[in-house]
Amino acid sequence: MLNGKTGAAGPAKAKEILNAAASLNYQPNTLAKNLKLRRSRTVGIITEDLTVFNTPEIVDGIESFCEEQGYEIVLANMRLFKRYDNDLTDTPEHAALFERMLRNLAAKQVEGIVYIGYHYRRIPHLPPAGSVPFIYAYCTPSDNQYSSVAFDDENASFQVGLALIQQGHRKIGVISGPMESLNAQARLRGFQRALYQSGVLYNAGFTLYGDWSQESGLLCARELIKQGVTAIYAFNDLMACGVYLCCSSLGLTVGRDLSVFGYDNQNICLALSPPLSSVEVPLGEMGRRCAALVLEQINKSADESPRECAIPCLLHLRASVAPPPEKAAAAGPEN
Amino acid sequence: MLNGKTGAAGPAKAKEILNAAASLNYQPNTLAKNLKLRRSRTVGIITEDLTVFNTPEIVDGIESFCEEQGYEIVLANMRLFKRYDNDLTDTPEHAALFERMLRNLAAKQVEGIVYIGYHYRRIPHLPPAGSVPFIYAYCTPSDNQYSSVAFDDENASFQVGLALIQQGHRKIGVISGPMESLNAQARLRGFQRALYQSGVLYNAGFTLYGDWSQESGLLCARELIKQGVTAIYAFNDLMACGVYLCCSSLGLTVGRDLSVFGYDNQNICLALSPPLSSVEVPLGEMGRRCAALVLEQINKSADESPRECAIPCLLHLRASVAPPPEKAAAAGPEN
DNA sequence: TTGAAAGCGCTAACAT
DNA sequence: ATGTTAGCGCTTTCAA
């Protein structure tokens, strides 16, 4: 009756009961309901660390999609960074924690799970056999029978390369992340493809390997500028900041003497002068895609074959990019 | 038996059963358990928007405390910003959403609730009479019978004032937030107290009102520098960035020609050159305090009188602050 | 010591 | 069209 389904007992009486319920602030007990129905309409989310900057946006995306489909979400936060001082990840403790989160979500009868990594890498932990649908976000499983959702690093980097070349740059320095980083590898591939396709010769000396820190960006920039590059593409915004610092110490003006491109489109981009061009990672969209995949699998509305999705990124071309100094060429920068 | 409580059936048999359970991946059903026990050992968290920068740290703090006490948390995210284009807050829609979140958490049998605002302000929405314990974080309720947890804006600002005065500054510009902002009001009070206590005359012309944006920081800085201030205290880091931009356009060097202090200690602080001094808001600690208050009330282990907690902030004095240009005085800046 | 049974609040299937 | 009942998976009580 109170769920609105059963036929009326005469409109008058029904209204009376409903009023009483409202005034008593009656709320059906979800626990009992789900216990009875034996389905929770709930998707579990395991986050490696909720306080890492990209995680909340992904959660938000999952939530928004689930809400549209009448599903709830329940969050299980590993707190990897807070729990251990540094990135003590992929250790036995991490494995134990993973296990615990999994059991906890299973106990809550979730119908599917999304696992959100704090940075893109191969995750050794897998759900147990016979588990509910399981999707990896911002990371990739060591066993490809599970789907994963990431962003299209390679193509974004290709676009960055094209944009710099189109402005007239031929000597473009790259400040990569560490060689082992899957992100860095993909970004390098995309960038090289842009050079290749444009017929620009690749100079390996123009690619330096930083460690994502601003300090390393500054050091690499100094080296690259010495080599005479007219543009620098740093694989994250923090290192791009380092390039800015290097320029200011050398008396160079970014966006005139040197063009700079970053990655992540963090809030610092607009705080810098001139604003830093950067690649925006489609975090919300990734979340929504994860949710779509999980719900598909839950409802078996699509074939079960695992997929590796790569959502396209968005380029923000800003005043930090301009034609190289010598030639007063082509198009003015947007934004 | 499986919960380890009931006496043994002989160690051998017990072990056998436990093994079987483990191999079948048996996990007690939380729904059924909580339904039976009629207590969930769960605290609900309502966030106005999880993607606002300060929210995840507060959630993390609540989580860490709850975990220590054997409580779980369940998150209800209003997604205020995503749902409505801009800050359509404190509207009928917001009220309806609040109501819905509340009912949802009640249906899940949470034993207490923490409400996290996205910025500090008075919240008109109250839990219904007879609700479970309810705490406000990063905001304050319109009815003071509920406890709230915030940070000690006034004192932090007092310390900033003291630090600048101690460096020898007497003409200190302030770029405040909007007049209506409770944060801005408290920060102004604290700063003025520092002046007063140090016997420095307050010049109302040195206080300008920005709108938290970098652009407004730049504009106000231009005006203040024209008036001859030797230091500028901006009420957030973004406006402090504006001050940096202004300096660079005027050929002034921050940390030498002009000292700058910010607020929020966002990651931009260390990306700027020189690094920006700033006030760190104790978000994690606020979360822990909220959790402590909720659990106290749940377990009636403390008196029920509502409290307004203000957690102390942490000052980061960096190279953006130095003695004023004329006098080659006193202490070198710490990092 | 061990086992059986009642009941948490709900829904769905079944009688009336 | 309405009322009754069985049972979801667990814990706790009570009986054997």
Side-chain angles (χ1 to χ4, degrees):
Chain A
M1 153 68 207
L2 286 170
N3 55 19
K5 277 185 187 164
T6 333
K13 192 149 202 171
K15 197 176 171 193
E16 193 180 326
I17 297 177
L18 254 28
N19 280 343
S23 72
L24 285 170
N25 228 292
Y26 167 79
Q27 192 60 24
N29 183 324
T30 308
L31 274 46
K33 178 180 171 186
N34 288 343
L35 178 60
K36 171 64 188 172
L37 291 187
R38 304 176 67 182
R39 76 175 299 192
S40 61
R41 287 191 165 276
T42 296
V43 169
I45 302 178
I46 301 178
T47 57
E48 292 194 328
D49 199 308
L50 187 64
T51 64
V52 168
F53 77 98
N54 45 40
T55 306
E57 288 286 353
I58 301 179
V59 171
D60 193 278
I62 299 172
E63 241 181 331
S64 86
F65 193 92
C66 284
E67 186 181 291
E68 289 166 20
Q69 306 293 319
Y71 271 73
E72 304 216 314
I73 62 122
V74 47
L75 205 76
N77 184 11
M78 291 187 156
R79 303 183 44 249
L80 232 47
F81 282 149
K82 301 289 157 116
R83 222 178 274 274
Y84 313 116
D85 282 352
N86 218 321
D87 49 356
L88 196 54
T89 169
D90 308 337
T91 62
E93 290 91 333
H94 183 196
L97 209 50
F98 179 79
E99 200 70 28
R100 206 175 96 200
M101 296 293 167
L102 227 46
R103 300 181 82 82
N104 183 265
L105 289 180
K108 290 182 179 153
Q109 315 299 109
V110 300
E111 300 179 21
I113 296 177
V114 178
Y115 181 93
I116 307 180
Y118 76 95
H119 85 238
Y120 190 80
R121 68 194 197 288
R122 202 166 296 278
I123 302 284
H125 311 305
L126 301 171
S131 153
V132 293
F134 199 99
I135 310 281
Y136 291 83
Y138 214 107
C139 56
T140 182
S142 56
D143 178 333
N144 65 0
Q145 74 172 279
Y146 298 95
S147 293
S148 66
V149 174
F151 50 98
D152 195 346
D153 245 343
E154 204 269 356
N155 190 257
S157 227
F158 174 71
Q159 302 294 342
V160 170
L162 243 39
L164 290 171
I165 292 166
Q166 196 188 328
Q167 293 277 337
H169 295 280
R170 292 298 175 269
K171 303 173 79 171
I172 305 172
V174 166
I175 305 180
S176 166
M179 279 194 188
E180 322 80 63
S181 159
L182 298 179
N183 283 315
Q185 290 164 20
R187 289 174 202 179
L188 209 47
R189 273 199 308 279
F191 178 73
Q192 289 176 354
R193 183 156 65 86
L195 292 183
Y196 180 78
Q197 179 175 309
S198 309
V200 177
L201 217 61
Y202 174 68
N203 180 340
F206 289 171
T207 297
L208 265 36
Y209 293 85
D211 63 2
W212 304 123
S213 75
Q214 178 184 277
E215 178 69 11
S216 75
L218 193 153
L219 262 36
C220 293
R222 191 170 294 159
E223 193 57 42
L224 290 169
I225 290 170
K226 211 178 287 172
Q227 296 190 42
V229 302
T230 62
I232 292 182
Y233 171 27
F235 283 3
N236 76 352
D237 290 335
L238 216 52
M239 296 194 297
C241 281
V243 179
Y244 273 62
L245 295 183
C246 178
C247 283
S248 85
S249 78
L250 261 42
L252 298 174
T253 300
V254 172
R256 194 189 64 189
D257 306 321
L258 186 83
S259 288
V260 183
F261 224 107
Y263 210 106
D264 284 342
N265 197 40
Q266 296 223 56
N267 56 356
I268 28 177
C269 291
L270 293 174
L272 291 168
S273 167
L276 172 62
S277 305
S278 194
V279 176
E280 179 183 348
V281 176
L283 300 166
E285 202 47 44
M286 285 168 60
R288 292 183 58 85
R289 178 66 66 87
C290 288
L293 286 174
V294 169
L295 295 189
E296 260 178 22
Q297 289 190 25
I298 290 172
N299 301 314
K300 307 254 188 297
S301 55
D303 72 291
E304 303 279 297
S305 58
R307 274 182 280 173
E308 292 209 14
C309 301
I311 315 287
C313 299
L314 189 61
L315 259 64
H316 294 273
L317 194 56
R318 304 196 177 101
S320 69
V321 169
E326 290 80 8
K327 333 177 180 180
E334 163 219 325
N335 196 342
Chain B
M1 153 69 209
L2 285 170
N3 56 19
K5 276 185 187 166
T6 332
K13 191 148 201 172
K15 196 176 170 192
E16 193 181 324
I17 298 178
L18 254 29
N19 281 343
S23 72
L24 285 170
N25 227 292
Y26 168 79
Q27 193 59 24
N29 184 323
T30 307
L31 273 46
K33 179 179 170 187
N34 288 343
L35 178 60
K36 174 61 190 172
L37 292 186
R38 305 175 67 180
R39 77 175 298 190
S40 60
R41 286 193 165 274
T42 295
V43 169
I45 302 178
I46 301 176
T47 57
E48 291 194 329
D49 198 309
L50 187 64
T51 64
V52 167
F53 78 98
N54 45 41
T55 305
E57 289 286 354
I58 300 179
V59 171
D60 193 277
I62 298 173
E63 241 180 331
S64 85
F65 193 93
C66 284
E67 187 181 290
E68 289 166 21
Q69 306 293 319
Y71 270 72
E72 305 215 314
I73 62 120
V74 48
L75 205 76
N77 184 10
M78 290 187 157
R79 304 183 44 251
L80 232 46
F81 282 150
K82 302 287 155 117
R83 220 178 275 273
Y84 313 115
D85 282 351
N86 217 323
D87 49 357
L88 197 53
T89 170
D90 309 337
T91 62
E93 290 92 333
H94 182 198
L97 210 49
F98 179 80
E99 200 69 29
R100 206 176 96 201
M101 296 293 167
L102 227 47
R103 300 181 82 84
N104 184 264
L105 289 180
K108 289 181 179 156
Q109 314 300 110
V110 301
E111 299 179 20
I113 296 177
V114 179
Y115 182 93
I116 306 179
Y118 76 95
H119 87 238
Y120 190 81
R121 67 195 197 288
R122 200 166 297 278
I123 303 283
H125 311 305
L126 301 172
S131 154
V132 293
F134 199 99
I135 309 281
Y136 291 83
Y138 214 108
C139 57
T140 182
S142 56
D143 178 332
N144 65 0
Q145 73 173 279
Y146 298 96
S147 293
S148 67
V149 174
F151 50 99
D152 195 346
D153 245 343
E154 205 269 355
N155 190 256
S157 226
F158 174 70
Q159 302 292 342
V160 170
L162 243 39
L164 290 171
I165 292 166
Q166 196 188 327
Q167 293 277 339
H169 295 280
R170 293 297 175 269
K171 302 172 80 171
I172 305 172
V174 167
I175 305 180
S176 164
M179 278 195 189
E180 323 79 65
S181 159
L182 298 179
N183 283 314
Q185 288 165 19
R187 290 174 201 178
L188 208 49
R189 271 199 308 278
F191 178 74
Q192 289 177 352
R193 184 157 63 86
L195 292 183
Y196 179 78
Q197 179 174 311
S198 308
V200 177
L201 218 63
Y202 174 68
N203 180 339
F206 289 170
T207 298
L208 265 35
Y209 292 85
D211 62 3
W212 305 121
S213 77
Q214 178 183 277
E215 178 69 11
S216 76
L218 193 152
L219 262 35
C220 292
R222 189 169 296 158
E223 193 57 42
L224 289 169
I225 290 170
K226 209 178 290 172
Q227 295 190 43
V229 302
T230 62
I232 293 182
Y233 172 26
F235 283 3
N236 77 351
D237 289 336
L238 216 53
M239 295 194 297
C241 281
V243 179
Y244 273 62
L245 295 183
C246 178
C247 284
S248 85
S249 78
L250 260 41
L252 298 173
T253 300
V254 171
R256 193 189 64 189
D257 306 321
L258 185 83
S259 290
V260 182
F261 224 107
Y263 210 106
D264 284 342
N265 197 40
Q266 295 224 53
N267 57 357
I268 27 176
C269 292
L270 293 174
L272 291 169
S273 167
L276 173 62
S277 305
S278 195
V279 176
E280 180 184 347
V281 176
L283 300 167
E285 201 46 44
M286 283 167 60
R288 293 182 58 84
R289 177 66 66 87
C290 287
L293 286 175
V294 168
L295 295 189
E296 260 178 21
Q297 289 189 24
I298 290 173
N299 301 314
K300 308 253 189 296
S301 55
D303 72 289
E304 304 278 298
S305 58
R307 274 183 280 173
E308 291 209 16
C309 301
I311 316 289
C313 299
L314 189 61
L315 258 66
H316 293 273
L317 194 57
R318 304 195 177 100
S320 69
V321 170
E326 289 82 5
K327 333 178 182 182
E334 162 215 331
N335 190 333

